[in-house]
């Protein structure tokens, strides 16, 4: 005969017990305790009476319910308790709202099967399944998974052990991250898009005439905006400084009236486009019907987002996207658009430079393209690194490895663009090598150098000089940008051949000594290949050279503006010293300076 189970009914009102009689299994004794009855091992399980249906749960997790069940039913996270067979023994209201649609209780169902066999985001199901991981390690684990209906969830699992009990329960917490994943997918689409014409093989670019190159750029921009970023309507206008007009370059989804409209910067007929071009700032229109600057553009448009297209301080045009929904854009869309617009600016500038071949020799044109694109690419790298730093300062939920990975891809994409431009330059100048290139050592070709300075003219001069000798040059105007590039190079095991840094103040740091020491710390016990740049005729009150020489004795000093032979020799010596010397950490910097 099957032993009788005892069910403790947590309710002192006897009349409420009868409504659950039909749910109680055979061979069950229902006990109605008084309020002061203590719980003991003689009770196999309990029924928790609430305003809703009764819940049948194991007695040993009763303290959990008494402490937090009411609170957990109010949070926006899904909470589930699993037994040692991964069976759902309890779930809160949020979980049931997300997944309880069948009309059947969620209890006593296998968790993963109940979710519909979710796909965990990782290398393998076994490796990234946090439930399996917590079972093995008895420690906290977390992951993300995707469901067939397109929703994404973050899952965290913790062990919940009961003393003197053979069963090991798990507490599972779920967060709906679908919206954030959609934003991530936009970011992935943005930097995976072949927006730059410079990403084409050099031979193909040379075969295209200016009109064909222009058509290719238009196709790439439209594909990125419409198919990948999912903008409903788009209008790109280029700026003519002679007439101050914004001429229509490309569009889709705009009315015939908007396409034929003449837009002048700063004039009333310019609408939002003219205002953005005049003020050089973005404009977020939440409701077109309520905005005095808005002129009818997109078909049935209800909101819009407009950004200027700039290269340095030069206005190249404006980009406007519109939606049929009110308040369709937010601050995150502005960030995506800023990256998108910077890529467009580089592309338009490259097209313009390619069309200036009649004004200069072929060699001069190539050098100008190379030099002009260097700083915009550096700005793209800086924007990605700064966004990465910003994400690291946010909560763990908003700073997932996938986002960091995609930001790193933006950086690599910008670096790849620079390399393609170098390849185009080589293809265009076959047989026209300069004297400097002919005399350059063969082992310098392709070596990576980082040039840090807040002065654009110094960056331009150094970039052109070193590029002629075969170096691959990255540039940075801000300290955080430079640190991010150095860290990325070390992570990829492709450290810089030399790092050229000024000894005066660098943006983002109180002193250049602080900046150099921070950059040196990234190398650990290795000697960084520092080349210190001192403005000719300028005195440095920070004693940055002395500080750096104490800690990194192999560092070299050279003047700026650059003297070609001296700069090249300083780079060679810095790289050589870094490979054979070690940092000196024995004497504190302050003690050395005072002595």
């Amino acid at each position: 005969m099957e032993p009788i189970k005892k069910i403790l009914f947590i309710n002192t009102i006897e009349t409420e017990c009868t409504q659950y009689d039909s749910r109680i299994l055979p061979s069950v004794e229902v006990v109605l305790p008084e309020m002061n009855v203590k719980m003991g091992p003689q009770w196999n399980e309990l029924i928790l009476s609430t305003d809703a249906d009764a819940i049948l749960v194991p007695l040993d997790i009763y303290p959990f319910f008494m402490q937090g069940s009411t609170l957990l039913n109010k949070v926006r996270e899904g909470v589930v308790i699993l037994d040692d067979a991964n069976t759902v023994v309890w779930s809160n209201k949020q979980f049931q709202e997300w997944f309880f649609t069948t009309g059947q209780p969620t209890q006593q169902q296998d968790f993963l099967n109940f979710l519909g066999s979710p796909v965990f985001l990782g290398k393998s199901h076994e490796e990234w399944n946090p439930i399996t991981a917590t079972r093995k390690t008895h420690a906290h684990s977390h992951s993300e998974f995707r469901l067939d209906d397109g929703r994404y969830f973050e899952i965290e699992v913790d062990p919940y052990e009961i003393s003197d009990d053979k069963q090991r329960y798990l507490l599972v917490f779920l967060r709906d991250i679908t919206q954030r994943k959609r934003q991530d997918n936009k970011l992935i689409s943005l930097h995976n898009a072949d927006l730059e014409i410079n990403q084409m093989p050099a031979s193909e670019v040379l075969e295209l005439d200016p009109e064909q190159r222009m058509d290719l750029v238009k196709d790439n921009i439209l594909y990125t905006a419409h198919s990948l970023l999912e903008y409903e309507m788009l209008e790109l206008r280029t700026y003519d400084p002679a007439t101050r007009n914004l001429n229509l370059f490309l569009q889709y989804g705009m009315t015939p009236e908007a396409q034929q409209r003449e837009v002048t910067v700063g004039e009333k007929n310019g609408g939002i486009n003219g205002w953005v071009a005049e003020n050089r700032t973005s404009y977020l229109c939440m409701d077109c019907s309520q905005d005095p600057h808005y002129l009818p553009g997109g078909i049935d448009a209800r909101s819009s987002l407009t950004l200027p297209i700039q290269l340095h301080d030069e206005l190249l045009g404006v980009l406007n996207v519109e939606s049929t929904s009110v308040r369709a854009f937010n601050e995150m869309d502005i960030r995506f658009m800023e990256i998108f617009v910077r890529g467009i600016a580089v592309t338009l500038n490259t097209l313009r430079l390619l069309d200036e071949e009649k004004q200069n020799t072929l060699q001069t044109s190539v050098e100008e393209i190379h030099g002009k694109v260097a700083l915009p690419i550096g700005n793209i790298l800086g924007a990605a690194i700064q966004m990465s730093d910003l994400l690291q300062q946010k909560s763990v939920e908003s700073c997932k490895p996938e986002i960091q990975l995609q930001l790193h891809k933006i950086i690599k994409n910008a670096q790849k663009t620079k390399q393609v431009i170098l390849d185009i330059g080589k293809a265009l100048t076959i047989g026209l090598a300069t004297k400097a290139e002919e005399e350059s050592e063969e082992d310098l070709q392709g070596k990576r150098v980082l040039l840090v300075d807040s002065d654009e003219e110094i960056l331009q001069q150094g970039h052109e000089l070193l590029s002629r000798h075969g170096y691959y040059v990255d540039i940075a105007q801000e300290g955080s940008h430079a640190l991010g590039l150095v860290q990325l190079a070390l992570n990829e095991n492709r450290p810089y051949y030399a790092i050229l840094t000024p000894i005066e103040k660098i943006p983002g740091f109180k002193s250049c000594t602080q900046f150099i020491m921070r950059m040196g710390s990234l190398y650990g016990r290795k000697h960084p290949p520092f080349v210190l740049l001192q403005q000719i005729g300028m005195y440095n009150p920070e004693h940055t050279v002395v500080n750096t020489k104490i800690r990194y004795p192999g560092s070299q000093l050279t003047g700026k503006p650059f003297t070609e032979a001296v700069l090249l020799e300083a780079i060679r010596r810095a790289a050589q010293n870094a490979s054979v010397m070690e940092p000196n950490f024995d004497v504190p910097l302050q003690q050395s300076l005072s002595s």
Side-chain angles (χ1 to χ4, degrees):
M1 178 179 179
E2 182 180 354
I4 295 178
K5 293 182 180 180
K6 289 188 176 183
I7 296 180
L8 181 62
F9 188 78
I10 308 302
N11 199 308
T12 58
I13 303 176
E14 183 173 359
T15 56
E16 290 193 7
C17 179
T18 58
Q19 61 182 307
Y20 300 115
D21 286 346
S22 60
R23 302 189 183 194
I24 297 175
L25 301 174
S27 304
V28 171
E29 177 184 353
V30 179
V31 180
L32 294 175
E34 299 296 334
M35 291 297 293
N36 59 355
V37 173
K38 295 183 178 179
M39 316 296 273
Q42 71 272 23
W43 307 113
N44 303 106
E45 51 193 357
L46 62 87
I47 294 180
L48 181 63
S49 178
T50 66
D51 293 337
D53 290 341
I55 302 175
L56 186 67
V57 295
L59 179 62
D60 48 22
I61 63 173
Y62 171 70
F64 175 82
F65 284 94
M66 294 300 293
Q67 295 174 13
S69 62
T70 302
L71 178 63
L72 291 177
N73 273 325
K74 295 182 178 180
V75 299
R76 294 185 177 182
E77 294 185 357
V79 184
V80 181
I81 301 178
L82 304 181
D83 61 16
D84 53 6
N86 294 337
T87 300
V88 177
V89 297
W90 184 84
S91 61
N92 73 340
K93 290 184 178 179
Q94 180 62 78
F95 178 83
Q96 295 176 20
E97 288 178 3
W98 283 338
F99 302 103
F100 177 36
T101 58
T102 62
Q104 298 298 326
T106 58
Q107 282 71 29
Q108 305 302 319
Q109 297 186 41
D110 179 79
F111 179 67
L112 295 183
N113 289 337
F114 179 76
L115 295 181
S117 300
V119 177
F120 289 96
L121 306 182
K123 297 179 181 179
S124 65
H125 180 85
E126 183 69 20
E127 181 176 352
W128 291 82
N129 184 343
I131 296 176
T132 303
T134 298
R135 291 292 186 196
K136 290 182 178 180
T137 64
H138 307 294
H140 172 85
S141 61
H142 69 277
S143 183
E144 296 178 357
F145 63 82
R146 183 184 69 251
L147 299 179
D148 290 340
D149 60 10
R151 289 184 294 172
Y152 288 84
F153 287 87
E154 180 183 8
I155 177 172
E156 296 195 31
V157 183
D158 288 285
Y160 181 72
E161 298 184 3
I162 308 299
S163 59
D164 301 327
D165 196 307
K166 295 182 180 180
Q167 282 193 326
R168 297 182 182 272
Y169 295 96
L170 296 181
L171 294 181
V172 181
F173 299 87
L174 299 175
R175 301 180 189 91
D176 190 337
I177 58 172
T178 304
Q179 184 63 30
R180 179 164 61 82
K181 278 296 182 181
R182 289 174 180 171
Q183 294 177 343
D184 294 346
N185 291 336
K186 275 192 176 182
L187 186 60
I188 294 170
S189 300
L190 179 59
H191 65 250
N192 281 343
D194 291 331
L195 178 62
E196 308 290 350
I197 187 176
N198 300 312
Q199 293 182 3
M200 293 181 58
S203 58
E204 294 184 18
V205 174
L206 292 177
E207 292 176 358
L208 301 177
D209 59 36
E211 185 175 353
Q212 290 173 324
R213 288 196 292 263
M214 193 74 70
D215 290 339
L216 177 63
V217 169
K218 291 180 179 180
D219 289 343
N220 287 341
I221 292 175
L222 287 175
Y223 175 76
T224 303
H226 183 58
S227 300
L228 300 182
L229 297 179
E230 299 180 345
Y231 294 138
E232 299 176 51
M233 294 164 278
L234 176 142
E235 178 185 26
L236 193 158
R237 291 180 175 269
T238 55
Y239 177 58
D240 184 352
T243 62
R244 289 180 56 83
N245 287 340
L246 293 171
N247 301 319
L248 187 64
F249 180 78
L250 63 88
Q251 66 80 33
Y252 72 83
M254 309 302 289
T255 65
E257 177 187 0
Q259 297 178 42
Q260 297 171 9
R261 180 182 298 131
E262 291 187 4
V263 179
T264 304
V265 175
E267 299 294 334
K268 292 183 178 180
N269 70 335
I272 292 178
N273 286 331
W275 188 95
V276 168
E278 177 73 12
N279 294 277
R280 311 289 182 90
T281 187
S282 59
Y283 193 104
L284 181 59
C285 174
M286 295 295 193
D287 188 344
C288 296
S289 64
Q290 303 298 321
D291 196 303
H293 291 290
Y294 180 78
L295 296 177
I299 300 175
D300 297 328
R302 300 291 302 281
S303 59
S304 69
L305 174 59
T306 311
L307 275 76
I309 304 173
Q310 298 183 94
L311 192 63
H312 311 314
D313 294 329
E314 180 183 4
L315 178 67
L316 300 182
V318 294
L319 178 65
N320 170 53
V321 295
E322 304 192 3
S323 172
T324 55
S325 301
V326 176
R327 300 180 180 274
F329 306 102
N330 53 35
E331 292 297 325
M332 186 59 68
D333 290 296
I334 294 178
R335 292 188 181 182
F336 290 147
M337 279 279 283
E338 285 175 346
I339 297 176
F340 185 37
V341 163
R342 286 177 183 176
I344 294 175
V346 173
T347 300
L348 295 179
N349 185 63
T350 301
L351 288 177
R352 182 178 61 181
L353 295 176
L354 288 173
D355 292 338
E356 291 178 353
E357 295 173 348
K358 295 181 180 179
Q359 301 176 15
N360 302 288
T361 65
L362 188 59
Q363 177 65 35
T364 301
S365 296
V366 171
E367 290 181 356
E368 188 176 8
I369 293 171
H370 194 188
K372 292 292 184 182
V373 172
L375 190 57
I377 293 297
N379 289 336
I380 293 177
L381 294 172
I385 290 173
Q386 289 172 1
M387 188 180 293
S388 179
D389 291 340
L390 180 63
L391 288 171
Q392 292 175 359
Q393 297 171 11
K394 298 295 182 180
S395 64
V396 174
E397 181 178 349
S398 64
C399 182
K400 291 304 173 184
E402 290 76 14
I403 299 179
Q404 295 292 332
L405 175 62
Q406 304 313 327
L407 289 170
H408 288 168
K409 287 183 178 180
I410 292 178
I411 297 172
K412 291 182 180 180
N413 196 38
Q415 292 174 331
K416 180 181 178 182
T417 300
K418 285 187 62 178
Q419 186 60 53
V420 171
I421 293 172
L422 284 172
D423 295 338
I424 292 175
K426 292 178 182 179
L428 291 174
T429 56
I430 294 176
L432 298 175
T434 64
K435 182 179 179 181
E437 289 173 324
E438 293 172 352
E439 295 177 353
S440 178
E441 296 180 6
E442 183 64 23
D443 61 351
L444 297 183
Q445 297 298 318
K447 289 191 179 298
R448 302 174 70 222
V449 173
L450 175 61
L451 175 58
V452 185
D453 205 292
S454 59
D455 189 336
E456 290 189 14
E457 292 185 4
I458 293 297
L459 294 177
Q460 186 80 12
Q461 181 195 8
H463 188 278
E464 292 177 357
L465 189 156
L466 296 175
S467 296
R468 288 201 305 269
H469 287 269
Y471 287 109
Y472 178 94
V473 186
D474 281 333
I475 60 178
Q477 289 183 288
E478 298 182 4
S480 60
H481 180 184
L483 291 174
L485 289 173
V486 171
Q487 185 64 69
L488 181 63
L490 293 172
N491 291 345
E492 296 178 344
N493 197 26
R494 296 193 306 135
Y496 286 105
Y497 183 71
I499 299 175
L500 287 65
T501 179
I503 63 171
E504 62 267 19
K505 188 175 181 181
I506 192 76
F509 286 81
K510 295 182 179 179
S511 69
C512 200
T513 299
Q514 180 191 43
F515 167 67
I516 292 177
M517 295 302 124
R518 176 69 182 88
M519 187 156 46
S521 67
L522 299 178
Y523 281 78
R525 302 298 302 184
K526 294 184 179 180
H527 195 302
F530 284 143
V531 176
L532 307 180
L533 308 179
Q534 183 174 24
Q535 187 75 33
I536 296 176
M538 295 288 291
Y539 172 70
N540 178 240
E542 295 179 20
H543 304 292
T544 304
V545 176
V546 177
N547 271 296
T548 306
K549 287 285 189 178
I550 289 173
R551 183 59 53 85
Y552 305 109
S555 303
Q556 298 297 300
L557 178 66
T558 188
K560 60 176 184 176
F562 303 119
T563 301
E564 184 169 349
V566 176
L567 177 62
L568 294 175
E569 178 63 16
I571 292 176
R572 187 187 66 81
R573 287 180 177 272
Q576 185 180 39
N577 291 341
S579 64
V580 297
M581 300 181 69
E582 294 182 356
N584 179 15
F585 296 100
D586 296 332
V587 182
L589 296 179
Q590 292 295 333
Q591 178 181 347
S592 301
L593 289 175
S594 61
S595 61

